[in-house]
Amino acid sequence: MGGNGNHTKVNNTVPSISNVVRVGALFTHNSVIGRSAKPAILTAVDDVNSDTSILSGIKLEIVLHDTNCSGFLGTVEALQLMEDNVVAAIGPQSSGIAHVISHVVNELHIPLLSFGATDPTLSALQYPYFVRTTQSDHFQMYAIADLIEHYGWREVITIFVDDDNGRNGISELGDAMAQKRAKISYKAAFPPDASTTDISALLSRVNLMESRVYVLHVNPDSGLNIFSLAKKLGMMSNGYVWIATDWLPSVLDSQEPANLDTMKLLQGVVAFRHHTPDTDLKKTLISKLKNRKDKETAGFNSYALYAYDSVWLVAHALHDFLLSEGGNISFSNDPKLHDNNGSMLNLSSLQAFDGGPLFLQTILRTNFTGVSGRVQFDADKNLIHPAYDILNIGESGSRIIGYWSDYSGLSDVIPESLYTKSRNNSAGNKHLTSVIWPGGTTTTPRGWVFPNNGKPLRIAVPNRISYLEFVSKDKNPPGVKGYCIDVFEAAINLLPYPVPRQYILFGHGDRNPDYNELVNQVGEHNYDAAVGDVTIVTNRTRIVDFTQPYMTSGLVVVVPVKETKSSPWSFLKPFTAQMWCVTGAFFLFVGAVVWILEHRHNHEFRGRPRKQLITIFWFSFSTMFFSHRENTVSALGRLVLIIWLFVVLIINSSYTASLTSILTVQQLSSQIEGIDSLISSNQPIGIQDGSFARKYLTDELNIAESRIVTLKNQQDYIDSLQRGPRNGGVVAIVDELPYIELLMSNTNCQFRTVGQEFTKSGWGFAFQRDSPLAVDMSTAILQLSENGDLQKIHDKWLLRNECSVGAQTDDEDSNQLSLSSFWGLFLISGIACLIALVAFCVKLFCQYIKFSPDSHEEVDEEMHPSRARSRPPTKTTSFKNLMLFADKKEADIREKLRKKKRRRSRSLDWTSSSP
């Protein structure tokens, strides 16, 4: 087995199938995992050697080495194992030893098949000869993150052993939770050899923190002791959540029957266990293991299944390597391994497996069904289809509440039944059965509380000197008052848990504090929250979490106003000149149309020409007041009048409304009409002390800093606006709408806003980043809004005389009504008049034709009888005759038509009887 310096020497070969092939096994025999794995490995060797179809006469020999739960001894044992010319090593179960031994097997080209090292970092390319035959903690941590997201928890505390496996596993959990917008709020680590006192002190510190969701990632041999200490500290009661990794099911599966005291201790714990299909092959192995005489455990956990399959994996790979691929087992001295300066390490005894690279590839290509399920590796050298059972521990035992697989996430369906279906990781597909939590409750814990022995919530409140209705100092408890405080207290009272709190004034009281600095103090954890008129703006949301807005807000521009003096000609202002002209013309036009339509029917529209002209004017303008005394009798006249009266009604109503607005309007004392005109001017602008408006105006709107004037209180607002820019005041003030509404109300509407709100924001309560209280308070604020309490609090503190908020203008023309607003009405009325005139003319002309050929003689006879008798009949007509005909009464025309009809009838009778 020894070598001679730097020369390569073949020490052992297996030229025929009658030789023995050695495989090493490296783990702690006297451990929860080791006691299950040892009989499984020995059984697997026996089963392989008894199956002649696998190695065809080659005997598989196992070389066992005990690491004795020691990293140092485990490393030494591993080095000794390599001296036995093994073609593969099964183990170790310790991730720390695996990191060290992986460097050795890389050099000696010996595949290391670990059934117990779950450290995710061992999958790195740095360890090409490390082959994990169990599931990586990478998948387990993502399964835990999915469970945390499923129940809506945002923060957890991890308790773990500070070794390679613990640190790297928790680091993987942190990455997984970050993808779910959650985080590890505290990492409680303890050394592998920690005493009971150290662990108890650690749990006491953890119990003082807000989070009540604990992820326990420890060794199976000492993990139960942590639950015993937690029980004594009252940490296994209502409100707590304990999530254990696969170490806990490994302990429980090794105990048969279950220890009732242990199960009672663990009542309510949720744990993850490697999922292995419940097949006949698995049942046969478990039965065979329980019947072994040399077994040291009553039950067997999942690591026994992975250890059993690891041996079979080597056997299947050897079969392909030796018999199918023509490989040869030989070992050579590595020239890099030689003793220097008389060292007693005897490194030259370590020999490299010549066929190691090929054998490694053969192992990774092997594909068979084992007792743990399908044994096949993906491109990252991980077993395919990683899955876990999710267990809920009860007093009478554990039960499966669901499963997790890398294929479908959380589900209440067995994973292998989903592999044939399309992948579905949607939230709606994630279902788990009910869970009994610590304390025997079925209600999902919130995941965090304010512990009674913890510090109260330190709440910063701005110490304002203006607009004290919103928030101010108070002599009575709790030391502050105002609209914002009442809203916060009402929301706190809606929470399903008590929140001890302490209000602390922020600011010196001689001026309003800087609200950006107030928010920064919360972000730096000097305060737990900020309550007051704090505006939600972008730069603040980057450092704290805000609740749902409880008050809408936005920056507006406010200017002073003055009353308008009434003019003697104010009654003309509602309409433009064009509107007046068109309206007057239509009055005359409609009057003339009605006269034409009524002249032949209505005696009130007949008479001397002077009287008829006066009637037209009187009737036209009297319709403005609906006081016309002439009645309309014709159908066409009534139709035109009805439509015109509707137009008059609209015109009167509009005139009245416009005149009222003009006579009561307030005019601005400046030319500022909004934020745009304010930016283009060069006059001073007032802002509130401590407001974010300064930064917004200078950074976003590029207004010069020299134009900004800081005003401390409401009286400064009034004085500055009344003085104006010429007398040392300001042309306008830019502030948030709630302050401006209160200002206008307190000053009897002496000021007005111009333009529109040019920012949209709101007031909210600020909490530290990722504080669960922010979410609960948002829900409470929404509830206050829905039940009307928020409006009641508003009315209590802020209900004042309301002033119209909106743009006012000194241009009276903006209140005038033009023809463009009424041309549709005039068009309808005009069309109705034209239709009525056309109908009238058609009817008139038809009647006139019926009088032909003697109609003109009858007209002349009536007008000039002597001339008619002396003149012979003629068939010619004239326009004058038509007008004379139109002037006749409708009743007379009808009577003459009847007479004419009778004469024609007599004439026909005489003609027929004359022969």
Side-chain angles (χ1 to χ4, degrees):
M1 301 264 296
N4 56 355
N6 296 333
H7 300 286
T8 302
K9 177 183 177 182
V10 176
N11 294 288
N12 185 28
T13 62
V14 184
S16 66
I17 62 174
S18 62
N19 292 338
V20 174
V21 178
R22 291 182 176 180
V23 176
L26 186 69
F27 56 92
T28 300
H29 295 177
N30 188 23
S31 65
V32 171
I33 295 178
R35 287 191 291 269
S36 289
K38 182 179 179 180
I41 292 175
L42 296 177
T43 301
V45 172
D46 294 340
D47 291 345
V48 168
N49 289 331
S50 62
D51 190 347
T52 57
S53 63
I54 298 298
L55 294 180
S56 301
I58 297 178
K59 183 179 180 182
L60 190 66
E61 183 177 305
I62 193 73
V63 181
L64 298 175
H65 282 258
D66 191 353
T67 59
N68 294 307
C69 292
S70 171
F72 174 73
L73 293 179
T75 303
V76 172
E77 291 292 334
L79 292 174
Q80 292 178 354
L81 178 63
M82 298 304 155
E83 295 179 354
D84 294 330
N85 288 347
V86 294
V87 296
I90 298 175
Q93 70 190 63
S94 169
S95 297
I97 299 176
H99 276 281
V100 177
I101 300 305
S102 291
H103 293 285
V104 177
V105 297
N106 288 350
E107 190 68 29
L108 300 181
H109 301 163
I110 298 175
L112 183 64
L113 283 64
S114 178
F115 61 87
T118 57
D119 180 0
T121 62
L122 287 169
S123 300
L125 298 175
Q126 183 183 7
Y127 310 115
Y129 279 84
F130 177 84
V131 180
R132 197 194 318 271
T133 57
T134 185
Q135 300 295 347
S136 169
D137 276 344
H138 166 85
F139 303 107
Q140 181 172 210
M141 297 307 168
Y142 273 82
I144 294 175
D146 276 357
L147 181 73
I148 292 170
E149 180 191 34
H150 178 74
Y151 288 110
W153 300 314
R154 299 184 62 188
E155 293 186 4
V156 302
I157 293 177
T158 55
I159 304 172
F160 61 97
V161 179
D162 196 10
D163 58 8
D164 290 328
N165 186 64
R167 282 192 305 273
N168 295 331
I170 296 304
S171 177
E172 195 76 15
L173 176 61
D175 295 340
M177 292 188 62
Q179 297 183 15
K180 309 294 184 182
R181 299 180 63 85
K183 71 174 184 177
I184 299 174
S185 60
Y186 183 71
K187 295 181 179 180
F190 58 89
D193 57 350
S195 64
T196 301
T197 303
D198 295 336
I199 296 177
S200 180
L202 178 67
L203 293 177
S204 297
R205 290 197 305 271
V206 166
N207 199 29
L208 295 176
M209 300 178 183
E210 293 181 356
S211 179
R212 285 293 182 266
V213 181
Y214 305 131
V215 176
L216 193 58
H217 187 50
V218 295
N219 297 325
D221 298 283
S222 58
L224 291 179
N225 185 41
I226 296 176
F227 284 113
S228 298
L229 297 175
K231 182 75 172 180
K232 294 178 181 179
L233 295 173
M235 299 174 67
M236 300 296 295
S237 57
N238 288 341
Y240 289 86
V241 177
W242 287 89
I243 302 174
T245 54
D246 56 55
W247 69 267
L248 181 56
S250 299
V251 175
L252 299 180
D253 290 344
S254 300
Q255 299 176 353
E256 284 193 4
N259 189 309
L260 296 180
D261 293 335
T262 301
M263 303 307 292
K264 186 176 181 180
L265 172 66
L266 300 175
Q267 191 272 328
V269 176
V270 175
F272 284 77
R273 179 178 64 190
H274 298 120
H275 174 74
T276 55
D278 194 12
T279 61
D280 293 337
L281 189 63
K282 173 183 173 181
K283 295 177 181 178
T284 301
L285 175 63
I286 296 298
S287 177
K288 188 182 297 185
L289 293 176
K290 291 181 178 180
N291 292 329
R292 288 186 66 95
K293 301 296 184 181
D294 56 350
K295 63 182 177 67
E296 300 176 5
T297 180
F300 296 89
N301 51 46
S302 60
Y303 289 100
L305 307 181
Y306 289 120
Y308 182 87
D309 283 344
S310 298
V311 176
W312 274 95
L313 175 62
V314 173
H316 282 288
L318 280 173
H319 176 273
D320 295 338
F321 176 72
L322 294 175
L323 304 179
S324 300
E325 300 179 5
N328 201 25
I329 298 178
S330 62
F331 297 86
S332 304
N333 287 338
D334 191 339
K336 299 178 183 178
L337 301 176
H338 61 274
D339 300 328
N340 295 320
N341 301 324
S343 173
M344 300 300 293
L345 293 178
N346 194 23
L347 294 178
S348 59
S349 63
L350 299 177
Q351 296 181 330
F353 179 23
D354 295 333
L358 179 59
F359 187 48
L360 174 64
Q361 296 304 317
T362 304
I363 290 175
L364 296 177
R365 289 194 304 268
T366 302
N367 180 0
F368 70 98
T369 300
V371 294
S372 62
R374 196 70 187 168
V375 179
Q376 183 180 355
F377 298 95
D378 59 17
D380 297 324
K381 298 192 303 182
N382 292 315
L383 289 175
I384 64 171
H385 300 322
Y388 289 86
D389 300 332
I390 305 176
L391 307 179
N392 183 209
I393 313 300
E395 294 184 0
S396 59
S398 60
R399 62 186 179 91
I400 296 177
I401 60 172
Y403 305 90
W404 181 92
S405 68
D406 185 46
Y407 187 79
S408 60
L410 295 177
S411 176
D412 55 359
V413 181
I414 297 176
E416 48 266 25
S417 66
L418 299 174
Y419 296 145
T420 57
K421 301 179 181 179
S422 59
R423 184 185 294 266
N424 187 357
N425 284 322
S426 62
N429 194 49
K430 297 180 179 181
H431 302 286
L432 298 176
T433 57
S434 60
V435 179
I436 299 177
W437 303 99
T441 179
T442 57
T443 303
T444 303
R446 290 188 311 273
W448 72 282
V449 293
F450 288 100
N452 295 330
N453 55 351
K455 296 180 180 180
L457 202 68
R458 300 179 74 250
I459 302 174
V461 178
N463 191 7
R464 297 186 56 88
I465 64 170
S466 63
Y467 297 107
L468 302 182
E469 292 89 343
F470 295 107
V471 61
S472 64
K473 183 179 179 180
D474 189 19
K475 296 181 181 179
N476 301 320
V480 288
K481 64 180 181 179
Y483 167 74
C484 303
I485 302 301
D486 280 6
V487 173
F488 183 79
E489 286 290 328
I492 283 287
N493 292 333
L494 291 177
L495 299 182
Y497 48 87
V499 181
R501 52 199 176 276
Q502 175 187 4
Y503 293 103
I504 303 173
L505 290 173
F506 181 83
H508 300 293
D510 56 347
R511 58 181 296 182
N512 292 336
D514 186 343
Y515 279 60
N516 285 331
E517 180 60 26
L518 171 63
V519 174
N520 288 334
Q521 291 295 317
V522 177
E524 294 173 0
H525 293 192
N526 294 325
Y527 298 101
D528 297 306
V531 173
D533 47 340
V534 183
T535 306
I536 304 172
V537 293
T538 303
N539 64 313
R540 295 174 182 174
T541 58
R542 297 190 179 103
I543 56 178
V544 298
D545 282 349
F546 281 96
T547 62
Q548 171 83 13
Y550 62 89
M551 167 77 85
T552 57
S553 180
L555 290 178
V556 294
V557 179
V558 63
V559 295
V561 295
K562 62 180 180 181
E563 295 291 338
T564 302
K565 294 182 179 180
S566 299
S567 168
W569 304 101
S570 296
F571 68 91
L572 295 175
K573 294 178 181 178
F575 290 160
T576 61
Q578 184 186 33
M579 179 65 182
W580 279 117
C581 294
V582 172
T583 302
F586 254 84
F587 271 106
L588 294 175
F589 174 68
V590 172
V593 170
V594 172
W595 178 85
I596 293 173
L597 299 176
E598 293 290 320
H599 179 70
R600 303 183 70 207
H601 300 271
N602 196 336
H603 71 277
E604 294 182 351
F605 288 87
R606 301 184 65 84
R608 296 187 303 274
R610 180 181 177 184
K611 177 186 177 183
Q612 295 184 47
L613 185 63
I614 294 174
T615 299
I616 292 174
F617 277 92
W618 166 256
F619 180 84
S620 299
F621 292 101
S622 63
T623 56
M624 179 184 298
F625 312 102
F626 305 98
S627 60
H628 50 283
R629 62 187 181 186
E630 294 81 6
N631 295 320
T632 54
V633 296
S634 66
L636 292 176
R638 290 176 177 178
L639 173 65
V640 171
L641 183 61
I642 288 175
I643 295 177
W644 175 242
L645 290 179
F646 173 74
V647 174
V648 170
L649 175 64
I650 300 300
I651 293 175
N652 281 343
S653 301
S654 302
Y655 175 85
T656 304
S658 180
L659 182 62
T660 302
S661 175
I662 290 174
L663 294 178
T664 59
V665 71
Q666 291 177 313
Q667 294 183 343
L668 305 180
S669 61
S670 70
Q671 298 301 317
I672 302 300
E673 298 178 356
I675 187 62
D676 294 331
S677 58
L678 187 63
I679 295 174
S680 60
S681 69
N682 57 1
Q683 295 175 317
I685 304 170
I687 64 167
Q688 184 179 172
D689 190 15
S691 171
F692 76 98
R694 174 185 294 274
K695 184 175 179 63
Y696 184 85
L697 293 177
T698 55
D699 294 352
E700 302 295 333
L701 303 182
N702 297 321
I703 295 178
E705 184 78 24
S706 58
R707 295 180 57 192
I708 308 299
V709 179
T710 301
L711 306 175
K712 290 186 176 181
N713 51 45
Q714 189 176 113
Q715 190 58 44
D716 287 350
Y717 277 37
I718 300 172
D719 295 341
S720 297
L721 288 173
Q722 290 178 343
R723 289 199 309 269
R726 295 183 179 180
N727 299 317
V730 296
V731 68
I733 288 177
V734 174
D735 204 351
E736 296 182 72
L737 185 59
Y739 302 119
I740 298 305
E741 288 178 336
L742 198 57
L743 169 69
M744 294 190 300
S745 177
N746 292 339
T747 57
N748 294 323
C749 306
Q750 297 179 17
F751 308 100
R752 282 288 185 273
T753 61
V754 291
Q756 303 295 326
E757 294 181 60
F758 53 94
T759 65
K760 294 293 184 180
S761 58
W763 292 354
F765 304 126
F767 291 88
Q768 295 177 7
R769 291 303 297 267
D770 299 323
S771 172
L773 192 58
V775 178
D776 289 352
M777 286 293 289
S778 294
T779 305
I781 290 172
L782 289 175
Q783 187 175 348
L784 287 175
S785 178
E786 291 172 356
N787 60 25
D789 290 343
L790 194 61
Q791 184 62 40
K792 293 178 182 178
I793 299 174
H794 178 276
D795 295 343
K796 171 186 174 183
W797 289 96
L798 306 177
L799 187 60
R800 299 289 188 274
N801 296 327
E802 294 186 1
C803 299
S804 60
V805 178
Q808 303 290 336
T809 177
D810 58 350
D811 186 6
E812 296 175 357
D813 291 341
S814 63
N815 289 323
Q816 288 185 317
L817 300 174
S818 64
L819 181 61
S820 61
S821 302
F822 299 93
W823 70 266
L825 289 173
F826 288 129
L827 179 63
I828 294 173
S829 179
I831 291 175
C833 291
L834 292 177
I835 292 175
L837 286 175
V838 171
F840 173 79
C841 292
V842 170
K843 180 181 178 181
L844 176 67
F845 190 75
C846 290
Q847 288 179 341
Y848 183 70
I849 293 300
K850 290 180 179 180
F851 275 78
S852 298
D854 58 344
S855 60
H856 53 284
E857 287 93 345
E858 293 180 1
V859 173
D860 287 344
E861 180 182 357
E862 184 175 318
M863 300 300 298
H864 306 285
S866 60
R867 189 192 313 171
R869 286 191 295 268
S870 63
R871 189 178 58 189
T874 178
K875 294 184 179 182
T876 61
T877 61
S878 66
F879 179 75
K880 181 180 179 181
N881 292 334
L882 180 62
M883 291 298 99
L884 292 174
F885 179 80
D887 188 54
K888 296 180 69 66
K889 292 183 179 181
E890 180 73 15
D892 295 342
I893 295 297
R894 291 180 179 178
E895 180 62 27
K896 289 184 179 294
L897 287 174
R898 286 195 294 271
K899 290 179 179 180
K900 181 178 180 181
K901 186 176 181 181
R902 287 196 297 270
R903 284 199 303 268
R904 286 182 178 179
S905 178
R906 288 195 298 268
S907 176
L908 291 174
D909 293 341
W910 180 85
T911 302
S912 60
S913 61
S914 176

